[in-house]
Amino acid sequence: MNKPKMATEKGVPSNSRVLMLLGQLERMNGEAMGRDVETARQVTAKILHLIQTQEKSGKEVMSKGSTGMEVILASLESSRDVQTTLNILYILTELLTVGRGRRAGVFVSKGGTGILFQILISASKELPPSEELMLQLHSLLAKVGPKDRKFGVKARLSGALNVTVNLLKQNLQNTKLLLPCLQVLRVYSTNSVNAISLGKNGVVELMFKVVAPYSKKNTSLLKVALDALGALLKSKTNARRAVDGGHVSILLALYLDWHRNDTRHRHMLIRKGLLVCLRNITNIKLGRKAFIDADGMRVLYNSSTECLPVRTLDPLINTSSLIMRKCFPKNRLPLPTIKSAFHYQLPHVPAAGPVAQLYSQPPGVDDVVDESDNEETDADTENDTENEEDEKDQHTANDDIETDLNKLHPKKNPGRPFEELRVYERFFVELSEDFQGFNFDCSKSASTTSSSTFCSSSASTQSSRPIIVPTAQALSPKRDPISSPLGGCNPTKGTHTLPSPSAPTPTPPAPLVPLELDTIHLDKDQDKQEKANIPSPDTHSTLSSLSRPPQGQVIAQELVKVLEGVSLEEEVFLSAEDGGKKGVKQEGSPVNTTRHIQSPLLLGGIPALRVGGGGSNWGSDCGSEGAEDEGAEGAVLEVPDTALLLPLHDPDIYVEMVKGTLSVPQYAEVAYPDYFGHVAPTFREPLLERVYGVQRSKIFQDIERLIHPNDILDKVVYDLDIPSCPLIEDNGESLKFNSQFESGNLRKVIQVRKHEYDLVLNSDINSNHYHQWFYFEVSGMRVGTMYRFNIINCEKSNSQFNYGMQVLMYSVQEAISGRPRWVRTGTDICYYKNNFARSSIAAGGQKGKSYYTMTFSTNFSHKDDVCYFAYHYPYTYSTLKMHLSKLEALRTPHIYLRQDVLCETLGGNKCPLLTITAMPESNSNDHICQFRNRPLIFLSARVHPGETNASWVMKGTLEFLMGTSPLAASLRDAYIFKIVPMLNPDGVINGNHRCSLSGEDLNRQWQNPNPELHPTIYHTKSLLQYLAHIQRAPLVFCDYHGHSRKKNVFMYGCSVKETVWQSNISATSSDLQEDLGYRALPKILSQIAPAFSMASCSFVVERSKESTARVVVWREIGVQRSYTMESTLCGCDQGKYKGLQIGTRELEEMGAQFCVALLRLKRLTGLRNHQHLLDLESDIIGPQSKVVSSSTTTYVLEEDEPSFLEAIDYSAESNDEDAEPDNEHRIEVHENTDHLDPPSDSDINHRD
């Protein structure tokens, strides 16, 4: 080594004593050190004394510009005398003890670690080695090791590993020397290669000798030994070694000893160290098996339960919980197959992709679990790699951004020849209409040029299925077995439906088994009864209780009289039911007008077999032979006439619309909420505050299932996989469930404990996943009892249910009391990974995945109630048809409204297309010219069925557009609106969450839609292509969506400039020429709509989105203002609605505000340099967009939510556009005791 020349810093006196001594030491370096040993000892002893007694001396040595450290290290390297070496080591120890690690960093940077290892090796060759020298060397190495990234590699290459191990083996009883050796070993072991090498050297067994048996002596030594052992056991080889040595039971026994004896909780770190060792061993399957065999679940469960009252012990409880969840045997989802319970045969199967794989799956393949899930294998592929995060490179956040400049520049590419597109001219009559011969003073009835028959045709296409509307008898869960209209549940009796020759029904290859039906009818008021030729009974029987027993034959005869007058179709088959409950007239109801529901009456003419009696307990028990069909009663239930409260709602029209709705399971029941309607509550519904420890307590209850299996009922109470009899009768000891109505989704229910139920959701049809949307009915509840519901097959790795969102509940008793509304409900809500294995078939090829549980608890306020639960406010296809029918009735002579049928869906349902604008003032050329040349706005919604909030926003838009306000009139004057309010009717009808009947996400088909498999997308795109061809591309295209993982309402748009800014591609200024107009609409919305958040908007084009509507319309049709508008399913964290959950009122308001924003946009686009009206470019773009780290755009992986006191075992992905691609990498992060571990793999496939 070249001799360093002693330098002094300005301001340090050159006659400083310590610097003079260092200068003397510097001159002695090299051979002089060996010759003049005594002087070297004296000089180093003096320096040590100065540093120990004067704080300034140490500062002088370590000050900036001083070469003191180099001199000391050079002397250390050249010293051959043990005492001199020790003195220098003492000096270094003193220097490095202060300075918060900065001095250790300097020491490492000057090569100090290597010199220490050299001395360690040479000292080890002395026999016997100097104990004091070894002690000081290891103490110093323990200090600097954590600061040296290459420490492990240097130790291994220099041979220091073996020196330390040999020293350990020889000094197991010498605690003074043992402690620093263990401290160094702890640092060595953090390097995975070293850990394996140490394991081969027998260090794992050595550590167990140090930590066992239980003793309270030398607790600091024990703590370090456990840390070192924990680090060693991160290696799977070492973990196997520990298992083979039978050490799992030793660790558990030790943990139990410490748990019992550490009553004052002074040794929590030792207990934590033992748990970390167990946690690392259980990262391998062999370790998990050994843990279970050693009764580890019971040990940790009992000890954790005893720790619960002490908040400071939370780190122990959290780690114990993590270990137990990991070791909980993976269960099979209780299903025969993960494919949907409903089958729809596609006209042709795509050549590739998940649907093709589904159809090519050989019969008999178990797609619920993988065979390898239960195999013992050394090649462990588990995803519990939280401990190896530091060795993995994280995915960069930006690798989904489109970097191909050619793709970033919109190319108007209509794609199809105009001859093919000319057929779409008929959807644009308004562009050629001349209104000649039109009387502009005429009545409303003549105001539309070409009124389509969308609603009437769909309503009149009556299927042969009887439609079942709610009735008083549905409120009677606790009844004796009764017979259904055709005499029972025996599937051999009769047929379910008689197809009508005129009904356009899809032709699936195999006959579907329709589900059971509820048979009832209602009549509204006296005048409406006369219109329907329904004589009203002379007296309405009203009782004060819904649970009064039947009144016998008199009422049955009264009912027959009513039925004789009904003639909805040619025939009415009647079978009276016994055991109906009497109606109740509610006093003090806020709604004065009532409608009378008469029971039971058929609305389809042909009754169907009622198999099993759904959740509302209509019909018979399974297997009933219909012996008790003699008496029945015509209970009359007075319910509020919600048509007065809801201008667009009419129960009678709704029932008519249901008749024209075709579903795969051939639903023939009507759910109460869809029938009665929803009146938004006037009270606020704040985000639910998360209770500390709620997730942990739920997980512990799940673990109890394994520890106390005898307490588990495991009783199936509802199962769609038994199509003949989904509701399983049980003498009133269980709740009753039903989901057999439009948009319903619930596949199976298992009663786990007396008041706890596991719920399994149905996959989307022709798919094996997408479980998120639910909508089901519950009855048979007891008042005041707290019930727990667990939806056990959720797939997303996080949910807003962890951040304040509640489920929705609709009470029929509340509705008939005049409060027909969905309300947010549920306590103890959380969402966490469970122990149900997800097969690689379901997880896109990935093995070792689990499902997630969404759990909530609730109680019921009314006896004999029927309640409905939903993921979000339901909005069915029949509801849309009813709303469109009512909108037609609202039209004034000044409104141009046309309803066309764009196409038929795969399932045979009609996809409506609306045209809304203002009638021209007259048929003069000027007025006609203004009419035809209005810019177009193209809106669509509900491509994803589970995003019902999109329909509520669309409802707000439609109502505003059809309104009488001056703003609405101006808007109609300004634009022609083309609206497809529901792009995926089949998915909505059949209770899908994301797909159509083709089993594909329709918002990923825009690049190349198939006219047979994706008709709504194909024809909607064709409309836009036609407009592009005739040079009338829309000014704005907006697709309404819902977002499940973010709050507020926001937009995704497309911008070349912002995409380039967020990527590393180089682009010329000409590449970045772009009109900033794409930001105008969201900017306006952020100023006028309280739920809208500009900060959540993103205008970046991602590769994974290139086949979405937003990107395709921007790129191919050339619409600069092409957006996805995302509305939260949860609530808002900014603005007027901050801290509140979102409701239909806010969603409809958002739809109306979107219209107002378009009006403002019209004023801006009338001026050439409209961006100047939105302030300067810097204000529009906002400084945050230019820096990736602080960007609020969607693709930056950052925590969207505040962390809770309690760790949640996965990261909240702020950058998700709700994607669930089939091969998606999910974030799988597990609970650690003090913090959230980083995600193990980025989830970068997000969505529009």
Side-chain angles (χ1 to χ4, degrees), residues 687-688 690 772 798-806 829 831 854 871 1043-1048 1128-1133 1141 1200-1201 1204 1212-1214:
L687 291 165
L688 185 70
R690 189 179 173 93
Q772 191 165 331
N798 203 356
S799 165
Q800 284 290 325
F801 283 118
N802 273 329
Y803 304 110
M805 185 163 97
Q806 292 174 284
I829 298 179
Y831 187 97
M854 193 287 281
Y871 178 65
H1043 205 293
S1044 71
R1045 301 200 213 181
K1046 290 179 80 172
K1047 291 186 169 69
N1048 310 312
T1128 180
L1129 291 157
C1130 176
C1132 298
D1133 59 12
Q1141 294 184 78
D1200 184 37
E1201 305 290 349
F1204 289 103
E1213 301 148 12
S1214 64

Side-chain angles (χ1 to χ4, degrees), residues 1184-1198:
Q1184 77 279 5
S1185 309
K1186 299 184 182 179
V1187 186
V1188 173
S1189 61
S1190 61
S1191 166
T1192 51
T1193 48
T1194 55
Y1195 39 83
V1196 179
L1197 195 70
E1198 60 189 16

Side-chain angles (χ1 to χ4, degrees), residues 837-851:
R838 226 178 130 196
S839 69
S840 55
I841 294 173
Q846 295 180 82
K847 289 201 170 186
K849 293 290 185 184
S850 293
Y851 285 103

Side-chain angles (χ1 to χ4, degrees), residues 290-476:
F291 178 84
I292 294 283
D293 293 346
D295 204 20
M297 295 293 275
R298 192 181 300 273
V299 170
L300 290 196
Y301 175 80
N302 290 339
S303 60
S304 301
T305 310
E306 289 165 24
C307 291
L308 279 172
V310 186
R311 188 81 172 254
T312 51
L313 298 180
D314 275 1
L316 301 183
I317 299 164
N318 289 344
T319 310
S320 297
S321 166
L322 178 68
I323 296 165
M324 287 188 283
R325 292 174 69 192
K326 206 187 321 183
C327 296
F328 202 122
K330 277 281 203 294
N331 284 351
R332 177 195 175 91
L333 208 59
L335 293 175
T337 171
I338 49 170
K339 285 184 276 197
S340 173
F342 306 135
H343 178 66
Y344 178 84
Q345 180 66 39
L346 292 176
H348 73 264
V349 180
V355 181
Q357 288 168 14
L358 201 73
Y359 273 81
S360 63
Q361 200 174 292
V365 168
D366 186 355
D367 59 358
V368 182
V369 289
D370 293 325
E371 286 177 22
S372 61
D373 278 356
N374 301 315
E375 284 176 12
E376 287 303 327
T377 166
D378 284 349
D380 194 279
T381 55
E382 287 296 317
N383 289 313
D384 297 323
T385 53
E386 57 188 347
N387 307 314
E388 295 162 22
E389 289 309 322
D390 51 339
E391 296 170 25
K392 278 188 181 180
D393 287 327
Q394 294 294 313
H395 284 292
T396 56
N398 290 7
D399 58 3
D400 189 33
I401 299 177
E402 182 57 76
T403 53
D404 183 344
L405 279 172
N406 292 323
K407 288 187 177 179
L408 281 176
H409 282 289
K411 302 277 191 297
K412 281 196 185 181
N413 174 24
R416 292 168 63 193
F418 188 54
E419 290 67 36
E420 275 185 40
L421 294 170
R422 198 184 291 279
V423 66
Y424 293 96
E425 192 175 353
R426 65 192 175 92
F427 294 110
F428 298 96
V429 180
E430 67 280 359
L431 300 184
S432 56
E433 178 65 66
D434 60 7
F435 293 94
Q436 298 307 314
F438 187 86
N439 180 1
F440 282 88
D441 301 321
C442 72
S443 68
K444 171 179 168 181
S445 59
S447 65
T448 321
T449 56
S450 146
S451 184
S452 145
T453 57
F454 169 73
C455 278
S456 56
S457 65
S458 58
S460 62
T461 309
Q462 297 193 1
S463 81
S464 60
R465 294 163 286 120
I467 301 303
I468 317 312
V469 187
T471 162
Q473 287 192 333
L475 302 177
S476 57

Side-chain angles (χ1 to χ4, degrees), residues 54-213:
Q54 296 177 12
E55 191 182 332
K56 67 171 187 176
S57 298
K59 286 182 178 173
E60 287 169 8
V61 176
M62 296 302 299
S63 61
K64 218 173 185 181
S66 167
T67 54
M69 180 60 78
E70 286 98 321
V71 171
I72 292 168
L73 288 174
S75 306
L76 181 62
E77 195 174 20
S78 55
S79 168
R80 298 287 175 269
D81 173 53
V82 172
Q83 189 56 52
T84 308
T85 304
L86 276 171
N87 284 349
I88 297 172
L89 291 176
Y90 294 143
I91 290 167
L92 287 168
T93 303
E94 289 291 335
L95 287 173
L96 301 185
T97 303
V98 292
R100 292 184 183 176
R102 189 190 69 80
R103 291 182 178 185
V106 172
F107 174 87
V108 169
S109 68
K110 306 289 184 190
T113 318
I115 295 167
L116 290 182
F117 282 138
Q118 280 174 28
I119 295 166
L120 181 66
I121 299 298
S122 53
S124 69
K125 291 171 183 169
E126 301 286 326
L127 289 174
S130 159
E131 185 176 313
E132 181 63 18
L133 185 58
M134 286 299 185
L135 180 70
Q136 291 306 320
L137 277 168
H138 280 90
S139 298
L140 205 52
L141 284 166
K143 273 193 175 67
V144 301
K147 290 288 175 186
D148 189 346
R149 286 185 178 181
K150 302 277 185 183
F151 188 79
V153 178
K154 290 175 185 173
R156 186 168 68 250
L157 296 178
S158 66
L161 281 184
N162 294 333
V163 174
T164 304
V165 171
N166 292 333
L167 206 60
L168 268 172
K169 289 176 179 174
Q170 293 155 17
N171 291 277
L172 281 178
Q173 305 310 315
N174 181 353
T175 51
K176 188 180 175 188
L177 183 55
L178 194 58
L179 181 62
C181 286
L182 287 171
Q183 286 171 330
V184 175
L185 189 74
R186 177 172 62 183
V187 188
Y188 287 163
S189 307
T190 54
N191 178 290
S192 54
V193 180
N194 286 356
I196 293 167
S197 171
L198 290 165
K200 285 177 184 170
N201 257 341
V203 178
V204 173
E205 290 77 6
L206 200 63
M207 288 296 99
F208 278 105
K209 285 182 185 172
V210 177
V211 300

Side-chain angles (χ1 to χ4, degrees), residues 890-904:
L890 289 179
R891 187 179 68 238
T892 66
H894 303 293
I895 300 175
Y896 181 101
L897 167 68
R898 199 176 72 252
Q899 294 190 32
D900 295 303
V901 177
L902 176 63
C903 61
E904 264 200 6

